[in-house]
Amino acid sequence: MGKAINSRTINSLIHLDDELRKEYNLPLGYYVGIDICREEGSKYHCTPDDAIVFAFTGMGGDHFAFDTKNGRIEDLDAAPILFIQPMIFDNPVKLVAHHIRDLFSIFLTLKELYILERFDKYQKEADMLEDIEKCYKARQHEINFISERLQKRLNIAPIPNVFKYITEINGECTL
């Protein structure tokens, strides 16, 4: 058995996952596109040693992790969030959010976390918005349903200018 993830937000997400499974026979991952780990997830060769893996996308080993800054950040709810893509050999680790609640605020805005996988391809916000419109506009009812639950459960709101937020946080990256 793996090590438990000590995060209030992860615990809230696990409780929400349990409720969704019981009420609708569908996991949280069905709605948000990532599966939350109930205990620390496996690391890949490119995952920083001090990172704590908390979610997987199910595609190519891509995963999310808390950046503990070599153990200096003990409150995981305050730890920066890394998106790790083992198959992107030249730059597999990206800083994507200041903390886990912001990661889910990004979801509220974008309606899809996997846009983070494609973010390096966008030259400007219009490119991102066009891609969202073309590839990710299906499941609107389900997205609204889960967005309402996430907002209440995590006490979060959408990030107004998510393109600027992610661009700026990538500029701060010192991995």
Side-chain angles (χ1 to χ4, degrees):
M1 191 156 150
K3 183 178 170 188
I5 300 172
N6 188 15
S7 160
R8 292 176 307 281
T9 303
I10 292 292
N11 289 338
S12 290
L13 293 168
I14 288 170
H15 289 301
L16 179 56
D17 180 65
D18 291 342
E19 290 170 15
L20 294 169
R21 287 173 190 269
K22 184 177 179 181
E23 291 176 45
Y24 303 100
N25 202 30
L26 291 169
L28 177 62
Y30 170 80
Y31 298 97
V32 298
I34 61 173
D35 293 314
I36 304 297
C37 300
R38 292 180 178 265
E39 52 194 36
E40 188 174 345
S42 301
K43 295 180 182 183
Y44 282 70
H45 65 282
C46 56
T47 307
D49 290 338
D50 66 315
I52 296 174
V53 176
F54 69 85
F56 286 91
T57 67
M59 300 293 290
D62 294 358
H63 55 285
F64 290 89
F66 295 106
D67 180 5
T68 66
K69 302 288 184 193
N70 294 316
R72 291 192 317 270
I73 299 176
E74 293 181 19
D75 179 2
L76 295 181
D77 288 329
I81 302 301
L82 304 174
F83 181 45
I84 302 142
Q85 298 174 274
M87 301 307 289
I88 307 295
F89 301 111
D90 59 336
N91 187 22
V93 181
K94 295 170 184 69
L95 181 63
V96 294
H98 289 291
H99 48 75
I100 191 167
R101 290 177 67 242
D102 271 6
L103 178 66
F104 283 91
S105 291
I106 288 170
F107 172 82
L108 294 178
T109 304
L110 297 178
K111 312 296 188 225
E112 175 66 52
L113 285 176
Y114 218 67
I115 290 170
L116 298 173
E117 186 250 9
R118 303 160 67 96
F119 199 82
D120 289 344
K121 296 175 175 76
Y122 306 136
Q123 298 297 313
K124 54 191 181 298
E125 185 176 20
D127 296 337
M128 179 188 76
L129 295 174
E130 180 181 323
D131 192 36
I132 291 169
E133 186 66 34
K134 185 171 66 173
C135 300
Y136 298 107
K137 278 296 183 184
R139 310 177 337 137
Q140 194 61 43
H141 173 73
E142 295 164 345
I143 297 300
N144 291 340
F145 165 79
I146 201 62
S147 293
E148 289 174 16
R149 288 198 170 206
L150 287 170
Q151 286 181 59
K152 288 178 185 171
R153 184 67 53 106
L154 302 179
N155 192 26
I156 59 174
I159 292 178
N161 189 336
V162 76
F163 185 82
K164 180 180 178 187
Y165 174 95
I166 295 171
T167 301
E168 287 177 356
I169 200 167
N170 277 315
E172 297 170 10
C173 190
T174 56
L175 299 173

